Amino acid sequence: MKQIRIKFNLGLLSLFALLAFSACMKMHMDPDVTARDIAEKIFSNPLPVPPVLDGKSAAFDAKSSTSMLSSGITVNSLGYAGAPILGATIRIEQGENFNLDFKNNLIEATNIHWHGLEVPAAQDGYPTDVIAPGGSFQYSFQVKNRPGTYWYHPHPDMATASQAYRGLAGFFIVGSAEESALGLPSGEFDVPLVVQDKRLDGGLTYAPSDNDRSIGLFGETVLVNGKPGAMFEVATRTYRFRLLNGSNARIYNFTLSSGATMELIGTDGGLLDAPVAINSVLLSPGERAEVLVNFGGLTVGDEVFLKSNAFAGSATQGKQDFKIMKFIVTRQEDDPFVQVSTLMPVEKIVESEAIAIRTFNIGHMMAHSGTTMSGMIHPLDGKFFDPNRRDEVVNANSVEIWEFDNTNGTETHPMHLHAGQFQVLSRTGGRGQLEAWEKGWKDTVLAFPGEKVRIIVRFPGNLGKYVFHCHNLEHEDGGMMLNYEIK
Ligand code: C2O
Ligand code: CU
Ligand code: CU
């Protein structure tokens, strides 16, 4: 096995030393290095569920409009497919061909990245492959992925955070006959939930301060499917919730206020091989988890909150417990769902197949000065994103182990690979173990300060240039992204 070493540029190193130094100075002067707290709302706004669109022949645009988020709160926002914020849920079966006639009706360049999907490089929304205002693009690819919860969002160079924050994101749900045969809750009992924090005092304009560019932009209001203070009426039966952390920087430690367990059935890359009972699931930006929640033991009028529990591991966030949305039981109904003991096989990629190990240092100092001319303040392995560089080259269909090393870091980084799914092999330092939701297919994995996470990936046969990056969107736009080419 070949060990690929990182070439370190001395000029860059001293620059970082300088940045790190000014960063430390700033940290001591700046009291605002922790995420702003969530201000809980009254949970009285009905949860919107995005309309479903058939992915075989879709046509939609991205455009700006205004959204009434709640009574008295109207903001300028961006949306897909006629939605004032967010967009339609694309549904398609594994193996089918996805076709989207996309029109950019924004006043800025954009593109779409199919987060988690294995697509040709030209379809992947590479940061410089953008569609000018007024322009169109035909997205078209065969859906190779396993049944699961994927999503789409813009990915233009240095504008991903801004466009996603202002509202551009949607679900991309893959199904199959094999999945349907499992009899999981479906239709109105299969509910996608995208959770995002926003700053509503700013009217949803994206105006990050230096501090936001450093730790990520945190809002004081949690939106679920675009609604603050969301509530959802449920029957006394089992629901399938598809949780997506679509926030720029905030991590949620999802749990139920009743203390009831949830059955974890899926991760970023689709169904697990068997359900696992969990009390909480920690999702960083970009990550998904599918859970079954049984409201069966409750009576009409009972309320249960989806909340985020405090968590350890990050200096900037996790201090606070807060409610996210309310479920209220409004009807008694028989539960037709029959518990399943197996779901869909997750074939393990074996370590001995790996032909290379690459190690990436993601552990730089926090609170960068934020004053560099280029706006690049978050390095990945000592480098800032440059579309004209080729950082790594891998062979199509080969297996490699990639290590994200945050051992000496002070920041939290959810690391995301484009082009396909991977499996997480190990975590050393910090939590020192893999979580239940990291034992299926993944495309984003969280590394707290002090942690080193190893993943194993079989690169797809699609040739070309892809990116991998931190999915804290301020970090991504701040340079924490590299290229890799599949050849
Ligand atoms: Cu969800 Cu490169 O992103
Ligand atoms: Cu950083
Ligand atoms: Cu990061």
Side-chain angles (χ1 to χ4, degrees):
M1 190 184 297
K2 147 176 78 121
Q3 184 77 37
I4 296 169
R5 294 258 156 240
I6 318 318
K7 291 172 257 57
F8 238 94
N9 174 316
L10 277 179
L12 273 182
L13 258 185
S14 42
L15 175 68
F16 294 142
L18 199 72
L19 279 176
F21 175 72
S22 58
C24 289
M25 295 301 293
K26 191 175 162 63
M27 263 176 77
H28 294 292
M29 295 181 302
D30 191 343
D32 195 19
V33 293
T34 53
R36 69 172 67 179
D37 278 352
I38 293 297
E40 282 176 8
K41 294 287 181 277
I42 295 164
F43 294 91
S44 56
N45 290 321
L47 175 84
V49 177
V52 172
L53 206 67
D54 180 357
K56 291 197 296 298
S57 59
F60 64 67
D61 70 351
K63 71 168 170 31
S64 91
S65 57
T66 54
S67 314
M68 197 176 88
L69 297 180
S70 195
S71 77
I73 308 172
T74 299
V75 296
N76 292 316
S77 55
L78 307 181
Y80 291 119
I85 188 168
L86 300 170
T89 294
I90 294 165
R91 282 217 180 231
I92 196 160
E93 298 277 295
Q94 184 177 24
E96 285 181 334
N97 287 310
F98 170 69
N99 287 290
L100 168 66
D101 189 353
F102 176 66
K103 175 100 195 281
N104 177 9
N105 281 326
L106 304 174
I107 56 168
E108 59 196 295
T110 193
N111 63 8
I112 301 181
H113 170 56
W114 310 98
H115 183 126
L117 295 170
E118 185 182 323
V119 306
Q123 297 287 324
D124 194 53
Y126 184 81
T128 54
D129 280 349
V130 291
I131 304 141
S136 295
F137 189 82
Q138 191 69 41
Y139 285 102
S140 154
F141 52 84
Q142 191 191 17
V143 176
K144 302 252 179 83
N145 286 68
R146 302 166 81 244
T149 307
Y150 306 90
W151 64 301
Y152 61 99
H153 63 78
H155 218 291
D157 195 16
M158 296 183 79
T160 297
S162 165
Q163 293 184 8
Y165 180 80
R166 287 178 287 152
L168 292 178
F171 283 96
F172 192 112
I173 294 178
V174 179
S176 75
E178 191 190 348
E179 187 204 24
S180 302
L182 292 169
L184 296 170
S186 61
E188 64 176 296
F189 307 102
D190 172 359
V191 188
L193 300 173
V194 54
V195 179
Q196 300 170 302
D197 60 327
K198 310 278 184 198
R199 271 179 205 172
L200 297 187
D201 51 358
L204 222 57
T205 45
Y206 183 74
S209 65
D210 280 358
N211 200 69
D212 299 330
R213 289 185 198 280
S214 173
I215 63 173
L217 190 139
F218 294 87
E220 77 297 329
T221 302
V222 181
L223 277 59
V224 183
N225 295 349
K227 267 294 164 215
M231 64 108 173
F232 186 59
E233 298 184 347
V234 296
T236 51
R237 51 188 281 167
T238 305
Y239 283 71
R240 175 185 193 170
F241 293 114
R242 300 171 186 262
L243 297 170
L244 159 62
N245 182 346
S247 304
N248 280 34
R250 191 178 292 275
I251 297 167
Y252 303 87
N253 190 15
F254 293 102
T255 191
L256 296 170
S257 61
S258 57
T261 56
M262 307 176 272
E263 293 281 314
L264 177 75
I265 58 165
T267 57
D268 297 348
L271 293 173
L272 289 170
D273 48 15
V276 186
I278 53 167
N279 287 306
S280 61
V281 49
L282 186 81
L283 298 182
S284 59
E287 290 188 286
R288 286 88 68 210
E290 294 189 28
V291 293
L292 298 180
V293 175
N294 186 354
F295 297 102
L298 305 177
T299 46
V300 170
D302 283 351
E303 295 180 353
V304 177
F305 291 90
L306 177 67
K307 48 179 290 218
S308 180
N309 272 349
F311 56 89
S314 163
T316 52
Q317 50 177 319
K319 312 275 179 290
Q320 192 195 6
D321 275 23
F322 55 86
K323 296 188 181 104
I324 294 169
M325 67 172 287
K326 179 164 89 178
F327 299 109
I328 175 159
V329 180
T330 55
R331 55 199 204 277
Q332 201 76 38
E333 241 175 60
D334 287 340
D335 193 352
F337 174 64
V338 183
Q339 192 66 45
V340 286
S341 55
T342 59
L343 295 162
M344 209 163 276
V346 173
E347 283 166 29
K348 285 269 168 280
I349 311 177
V350 292
E351 281 192 56
S352 60
E353 272 194 76
I355 59 160
I357 298 177
R358 294 175 205 245
T359 304
F360 301 95
N361 177 19
I362 60 168
H364 54 278
M365 294 285 293
M366 177 158 73
H368 324 274
S369 72
T371 52
T372 56
M373 295 286 284
S374 61
M376 297 277 126
I377 56 172
H378 295 280
L380 202 177
D381 210 34
K383 295 185 279 190
F384 298 120
F385 181 62
D386 178 352
N388 299 312
R389 200 177 52 218
R390 193 168 61 164
D391 299 294
E392 308 294 332
V393 180
V394 303
N395 292 318
N397 306 307
S398 70
V399 173
E400 295 197 4
I401 292 170
W402 284 21
E403 304 180 329
F404 296 115
D405 190 353
N406 203 12
T407 305
N408 299 311
T410 57
E411 298 179 295
T412 299
H413 303 294
M415 299 304 300
H416 170 52
L417 247 72
H418 285 213
Q421 296 283 323
F422 56 75
Q423 291 173 359
V424 190
L425 287 176
S426 66
R427 171 181 286 106
T428 49
R431 287 171 283 170
Q433 57 175 30
L434 298 186
E435 308 279 14
W437 50 93
E438 295 176 324
K439 294 176 180 167
W441 288 98
K442 293 286 291 169
D443 53 56
T444 307
V445 65
L446 177 63
F448 276 129
E451 293 183 349
K452 178 173 172 176
V453 177
R454 293 163 68 241
I455 65 169
I456 189 163
V457 50
R458 185 190 311 279
F459 296 102
N462 292 318
L463 309 186
K465 199 162 156 185
Y466 293 89
V467 290
F468 62 104
H469 59 86
C470 178
H471 216 288
N472 174 313
L473 298 183
E474 281 70 35
H475 289 186
E476 173 183 346
D477 283 351
M480 200 168 174
M481 173 158 67
L482 297 179
N483 294 298
Y484 78 99
E485 183 178 327
I486 302 179
K487 76 158 182 23

